[in-house]
DNA sequence: GGAGACCTTTGATTTTGATCAAGTTGCAGA
DNA sequence: TCTGCAACTTGATCAAAATCAAAGGTCTCC
């Protein structure tokens, strides 16, 4: 895992602060928006920015989770595996989401970068100290948990009750709406996941995913520039095929 | 919806309190354990205890959620439906779980009693006032949300990657471990869900659920007294069939 | 530019679970 | 006790997706 620690010098509120978390400068959709300047400084002293390459594990299933992180750019897959190797992606996290399971050292998930991903991480003990001090921070983490819960439940409907065609369309819709959070829904984008990952996200096989993408292309619901790049001529059409009302 | 408001007279800390929420007397696994006596009193003044019969809706999908509730006894199904009627149960809540989606008026779920269920509910505004006052309460709600998120993600693995046989065994295991939280895992219990509900929880059809239950019976993984009552001779065996390591 | 690895697509066939269709069973109410 | 209905089970058939198999593509590294 390539680690690049980056501390840029910057003043906050005219005080002589030695360094500021690069993530927090860039993103306030993460977890830092709720902190006071002093707390932000405290956090930034312990933060580490690093780039994680695709397939690189951020936190292993069953391992001690010793850190929390903001995603600065990129996409992280959260997955679970059965003992025989069957795998399910149970969540995707996009910038500027916050990652980490508060209040437990045991992670039931594997977190892995899907594409090149920059994260800013801080040690568990620092985070937990700040949570105890800053009531707004726990509220922020709570809202993140509730958002992920809503998303997980939406996805359960997709996994349990949609056809392969609807599942693939639902996946494309999710990507279109999350890949570029600053600019809203994208009509043209690169898929952050391989066919194998898409299959693991949808509870399908690679072959079924491929066939359904081909069918969507033939039905003019999407256009395919190359295997990763997709264009959506009509988002309404895609949503309709996805079974989203 | 049959509503029985029940306020029992009881003293707390020797003060002259008019009434106490019956739920809070009985259960501290809910949300009340974190409150001070004064807050508990405040909450109890606004609480309503009622019995909800099976099939009765607690909160409709897309409706305004105007209350929070502790489940005193019983089981509540949380479900989502597609416009064409396909339905997925996205969560089961057992006593003494807390129900309600903080910080939003819009519920994306339908909450419905699966069996006779006693709940103790309080208005949204009272709850939100208490959350603002009592930091421990938000922490308690946060932990509940994280627990539900962990459960949802576990279930996603089941929905996406397990066979019908494993799904049914997983369901039976969930019931065995949750139906009587005070006494741990039960080896003999009544299913709180009909075959149709089980199918909606597992993303299967009624017929498939029935066949798999028959198969589990023939394989001596479970015994069936009647269509609702189940005995599990070996929990290890059941877990193994469920694909739980 | 070519070899090899990996990812993706496509085709043929099989399997799992869905669908269609009767029957049972159990239970509430006459 | 009988009747009628809803819930459940079982059987036959069908269809969607999995599996098995074989090509294409694309990319990296010589």
């Amino acid at each position: 895992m390539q680690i690049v620690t980056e501390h840029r010098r910057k003043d906050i509120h005219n005080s002589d602060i030695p360094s500021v978390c690069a993530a927090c400068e860039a993103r306030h959709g993460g977890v830092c928006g709720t902190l006071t300047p002093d707390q932000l400084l405290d956090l930034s002293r312990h933060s580490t920015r690093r780039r994680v390459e695709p397939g690189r594990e951020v936190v292993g299933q069953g391992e001690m989770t010793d850190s929390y992180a903001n995603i600065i750019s990129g996409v992280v897959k959260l997955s679970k595996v059965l003992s025989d190797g069957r795998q399910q992606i149970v969540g995707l996290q996009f910038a500027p989401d916050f990652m980490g399971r508060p209040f437990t050292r045991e992670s039931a998930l594997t977190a892995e970068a899907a594409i090149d991903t920059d994260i800013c991480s801080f040690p568990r003990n620092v985070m937990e100290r700040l949570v105890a001090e800053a009531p707004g921070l726990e509220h922020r983490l709570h809202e993140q948990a509730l958002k992920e819960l809503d998303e997980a439940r939406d996805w359960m409907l997709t996994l349990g009750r949609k056809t392969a065609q609807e599942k693939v369309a639902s996946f494309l819709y999710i990507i279109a709406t999350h890949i570029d959070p600053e600019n809203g829904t994208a009509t043209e984008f690169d898929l952050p996941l391989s066919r194998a990952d898409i299959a693991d996200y949808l509870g399908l096989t690679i072959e079924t995913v491929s066939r359904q993408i081909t069918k969507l292309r033939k039905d003019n619901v999407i256009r395919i520039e190359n295997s990763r790049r997709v264009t959506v001529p009509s988002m309404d059409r895609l949503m309709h095929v996805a079974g989203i009302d």
Side-chain angles (χ1 to χ4, degrees), chain A:
Chain A
M1 184 128 62
Q2 185 194 344
I3 297 185
V4 181
T5 305
E6 181 184 322
H7 278 290
R8 278 197 271 149
R9 179 163 296 276
K10 186 176 174 190
D11 283 357
I12 297 182
H13 290 248
N14 299 323
S15 58
D16 58 336
I17 289 163
S19 61
V20 165
C21 169
C24 298
E25 280 179 33
R27 299 273 178 186
H28 284 265
V31 97
C32 306
T34 58
L35 299 174
T36 66
D38 279 355
Q39 290 170 329
L40 195 55
L41 172 58
D42 184 2
L43 187 60
S44 74
R45 284 217 181 85
H46 299 280
S47 68
T48 307
R49 179 167 171 160
R50 65 181 203 257
R51 160 151 301 194
V52 186
E53 279 150 19
R56 253 35 209 304
E57 205 165 83
V58 180
V59 181
Q61 181 168 342
E63 278 176 20
M64 296 301 186
T65 346
D66 53 18
S67 66
Y68 291 69
N70 279 329
I71 303 173
I72 299 164
S73 70
V75 180
V76 173
K77 313 176 280 188
L78 305 178
S79 59
K80 294 175 87 83
V81 292
L82 252 16
S83 51
D84 63 2
R86 281 174 287 175
Q87 185 166 169
Q88 177 68 44
I89 292 178
V90 297
L92 291 180
Q93 307 221 265
F94 299 84
D97 281 354
F98 174 78
M99 283 194 336
R101 169 62 169 84
F103 317 129
T104 181
R105 303 207 123 55
E106 186 86 356
S107 168
L109 300 171
T110 298
E112 201 177 294
I115 54 177
D116 276 350
T117 297
D118 290 316
I119 66 172
C120 178
S121 62
F122 4 93
R124 167 171 291 278
N125 60 339
V126 173
M127 195 66 193
E128 287 181 351
R129 180 161 49 74
L130 287 173
V131 166
E133 289 170 9
L137 181 54
E138 171 135 42
H139 183 73
R140 179 68 194 79
L141 296 181
H142 188 186
E143 291 213 309
Q144 173 73 19
L146 289 166
K147 185 188 118 190
E148 288 177 30
L149 181 57
D150 288 344
E151 287 171 355
R153 286 176 168 163
D154 277 341
W155 204 246
M156 287 170 79
L157 178 61
T158 299
L159 286 174
R161 289 300 184 201
K162 288 189 185 174
T163 63
Q165 176 81 161
E166 290 167 329
K167 285 180 176 183
V168 171
S170 298
F171 164 74
L172 293 171
Y173 181 71
I174 293 253
I175 299 304
T177 50
H178 288 77
I179 199 70
D180 187 4
E182 283 169 12
N183 297 310
T185 302
T187 56
E188 189 178 356
F189 49 87
D190 281 322
L191 296 176
L193 268 54
S194 67
R195 298 293 185 269
D197 283 339
I198 299 171
D200 282 344
Y201 192 35
L202 297 170
L204 299 171
T205 58
I206 296 174
E207 295 92 326
T208 298
V209 169
S210 178
R211 280 185 245 272
Q212 295 302 335
I213 288 177
T214 300
K215 182 165 192 309
L216 288 172
R217 180 174 53 71
K218 287 183 177 166
D219 294 347
N220 295 311
V221 177
I222 54 173
R223 259 174 287 129
I224 304 285
E225 318 297 327
N226 60 55
S227 70
R228 289 279 181 148
R229 188 141 195 96
V230 174
T231 310
V232 181
S234 159
M235 203 53 67
D236 283 348
R237 185 97 194 289
L238 180 64
M239 287 173 72
H240 183 256
V241 175
I244 300 165
D245 321 303

